[in-house]
């Protein structure tokens, strides 16, 4: 598990606030994030750890079952960016539920989720305005993971992130690797219009900084494997069955609806178009 320290999502700054109250609040926030980090880190590793020596084969679905009734950490809801201009997000910025995914394009479990589960969540919840999906690049498998993460960001700068995401997670794509020529092919499959710009952006400092920021956020949560998720502050680790996500999303939507003054941040008129969504027909391909 990463030893990176979780940071509080906010720091009381007002000098008028009693010192004891500020200190108590900071302790509570840090404690909540630390508890979630411990849960996410442990379950994430257990869900996707390498098979034991001598084990034959491996299931494409994680063995650990995430309980949707498990703890929700309100402090972690602030990790949702809800930025209408975020090119690596899908759905309304003011959706009542935000699913944050920390994933690696070389991760087999992530591909399983992308092909079998995510398209169904898009059809059932994103298209209905209930769910927003925010992607976080969390490359943990070396140089090719880093390269394809930057390439996905570069595709996003031309409005083709989700198409690139779909091409990179297509059945059998991981086995072909993510070398430089292969990334160019994926960009072409994704319909990225300017190949020269894509190549420049993929190697640029902006791409490196964006991927680094996503990584640091994941490590601060204690994530040690992929995929790892937050659903309105509820950690879920591994490519869990569809039911795990639907139950968590519906519980979060119900809680948001029943919370006075709990209208999500963001304005409907500034939300991005939903074009480029993973197509439900691609599930399981």
């Amino acid at each position: 598990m990463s030893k990176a320290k979780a940071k509080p999502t906010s720091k009381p700054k007002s000098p008028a606030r009693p010192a004891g109250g500020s200190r108590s609040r900071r302790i509570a926030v840090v404690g909540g994030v630390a508890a979630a980090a411990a849960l996410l880190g442990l379950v994430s590793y257990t869900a996707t750890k390498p098979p034991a020596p001598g084990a034959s084969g491996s299931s494409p679905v994680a063995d650990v079952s995430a309980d949707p009734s498990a703890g929700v950490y309100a402090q972690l809801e602030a990790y949702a960016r809800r930025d209408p201009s975020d090119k690596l997000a899908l759905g309304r910025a003011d959706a009542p539920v935000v699913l944050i995914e920390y994933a690696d394009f070389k991760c087999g479990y992530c591909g399983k989720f992308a092909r079998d589960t995510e398209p169904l969540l898009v059809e059932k919840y994103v298209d209905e305005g209930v769910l927003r999906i925010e992607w976080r690049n969390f490359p943990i498998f070396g140089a090719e993971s880093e390269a394809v993460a930057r390439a996905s960001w570069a595709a996003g700068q031309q409005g083709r992130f989700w198409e690139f995401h779909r091409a990179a997670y297509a059945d059998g794509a991981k086995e072909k690797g993510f070398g430089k020529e292969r990334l160019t092919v994926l960009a072409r499959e994704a319909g990225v219009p300017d190949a020269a710009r894509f190549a420049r952006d993929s190697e640029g400092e902006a791409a490196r900084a964006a991927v680094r920021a996503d990584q640091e956020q994941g490590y601060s949560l204690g994530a040690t494997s992929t995929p790892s998720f937050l659903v309105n502050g509820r950690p879920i680790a591994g490519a869990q069955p569809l039911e795990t996500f639907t139950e968590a999303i519906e519980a979060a939507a119900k809680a948001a609806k029943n919370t006075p003054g709990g209208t999500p941040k963001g304005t409907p008129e500034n939300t991005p178009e939903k074009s480029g969504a993973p197509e439900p027909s691609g599930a399981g391909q």
Side-chain angles (χ1 to χ4, degrees):
M1 185 179 299
S2 171
K3 297 182 179 179
K5 296 182 179 179
K7 298 180 181 179
T9 57
S10 61
K11 295 182 180 180
K13 297 180 180 180
S14 173
R17 187 185 298 275
S22 296
R23 187 178 302 110
S24 298
R25 185 179 179 186
R26 283 196 296 270
I27 291 172
V29 171
V30 172
V33 175
L39 171 64
L40 184 57
L42 174 62
V43 179
S44 177
Y45 172 74
T46 305
T48 56
K49 66 182 179 182
S56 59
S58 61
S59 168
V61 179
D63 295 331
V64 174
S65 177
D67 180 4
S69 64
V72 175
Y73 300 88
Q75 300 91 337
L76 298 185
E77 290 191 56
Y79 280 77
R81 292 167 182 161
R82 293 189 177 277
D83 179 359
S85 65
D86 186 352
K87 295 179 172 61
L88 276 61
L90 187 67
R92 298 174 64 94
D94 65 343
V97 183
V98 177
L99 181 152
I100 306 174
E101 178 184 3
Y102 300 85
D104 186 317
F105 285 102
K106 285 178 68 68
C107 162
Y109 291 137
C110 302
K112 178 71 174 175
F113 174 79
R115 292 189 298 273
D116 294 356
T117 303
E118 191 167 45
L120 302 178
L121 298 180
V122 169
E123 181 180 27
K124 185 172 183 179
Y125 297 111
V126 175
D127 290 348
E128 297 302 317
V130 174
L131 179 68
R132 175 177 175 83
I133 298 175
E134 295 189 355
W135 172 268
R136 303 286 188 270
N137 274 305
F138 195 57
I140 60 175
F141 293 114
E144 282 199 354
S145 288
E146 295 273 354
V148 68
R150 295 195 305 271
S152 73
W153 182 90
Q157 302 317 293
Q158 298 188 52
R160 308 301 287 180
F161 170 78
W162 290 103
E163 290 83 357
F164 185 95
H165 172 280
R166 185 161 56 247
Y169 275 138
D171 196 16
K174 178 173 73 75
E175 287 70 25
K176 296 179 182 178
F178 294 109
K180 189 171 183 179
E181 291 184 4
R182 178 63 182 155
L183 295 178
T184 300
V185 170
L186 290 174
R188 185 164 58 247
E189 291 179 2
V192 175
D194 189 334
R197 178 189 171 188
F198 169 79
R200 290 194 305 272
D201 287 348
S202 294
E203 296 299 328
E205 180 53 35
R208 296 177 190 277
V211 171
R212 187 164 55 245
D214 285 354
Q215 280 182 310
E216 290 175 353
Q217 187 182 93
Y219 282 129
S220 77
L221 290 167
T224 58
S225 193
T226 52
S228 293
F229 306 88
L230 290 176
V231 177
N232 276 22
R234 171 178 289 146
I236 296 177
Q240 302 299 331
L242 174 65
E243 292 75 16
T244 296
F245 291 96
T246 58
E247 289 174 17
I249 291 166
E250 290 177 9
K254 182 178 180 180
K257 182 178 181 180
N258 294 335
T259 300
T263 302
K265 298 177 182 179
T267 54
E269 63 270 20
N270 292 326
T271 54
E273 295 290 336
K274 292 185 289 186
S275 59
E279 297 175 3
S281 60
Q285 295 180 355

